[in-house]
């Protein structure tokens, strides 16, 4: 299963949070500093429980203000 976690951080704390997020190498496959409503996008690969636990761990990081997780779903569009 794949998910995209959008992370908003306190001003001036992007580099610190990216370094912390990258340490979750087992599940975090890519981290990107992005523009828009989020500051960081992290691509996660793992089971739903692994993704859930990782996002819960992210919420414990004091520099993180909010997270939004987009979980990949399989939909048969009939094409």
């Amino acid at each position: 299963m794949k998910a995209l976690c959008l992370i908003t951080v306190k001003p001036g704390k992007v580099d610190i949070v990216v370094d912390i997020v990258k340490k979750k190498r087992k599940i975090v496959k890519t981290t990107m500093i992005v523009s828009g409503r989020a500051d960081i996008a992290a691509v996660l690969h793992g089971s739903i429980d692994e993704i859930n636990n990782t996002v819960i761990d992210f919420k414990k990081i004091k520099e993180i203000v909010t997270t939004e997780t987009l979980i990949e779903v399989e939909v048969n569009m009939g094409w």
Side-chain angles (χ1 to χ4, degrees):
M1 175 167 272
K2 291 185 248 178
L4 179 65
C5 186
L6 303 176
I7 304 168
T8 305
V9 301
K10 293 179 181 175
K13 302 296 182 179
V14 171
D15 293 334
I16 293 167
V17 175
V18 167
D19 289 341
I20 295 168
V21 168
K22 282 183 176 180
K23 291 180 181 176
K24 302 257 181 208
R25 290 186 196 134
K26 181 180 177 200
I27 192 164
V28 177
K29 300 304 177 190
T30 306
T31 56
M32 298 170 277
I33 298 172
V34 297
S35 62
R37 70 175 183 229
D39 300 303
I40 301 166
V43 178
L44 312 176
H45 289 206
S47 70
I48 189 71
D49 289 333
E50 290 172 321
I51 291 169
N52 186 46
N53 290 334
T54 300
V55 173
I56 289 169
D57 285 347
F58 288 168
K59 291 180 181 287
K60 295 176 185 174
I61 299 169
K62 66 181 180 178
E63 291 84 7
I64 291 180
V65 177
T66 63
T67 64
E68 179 180 0
T69 305
L70 311 172
I71 298 177
E72 179 183 48
V73 295
E74 293 183 23
V75 178
N76 183 351
M77 300 296 284
W79 300 338

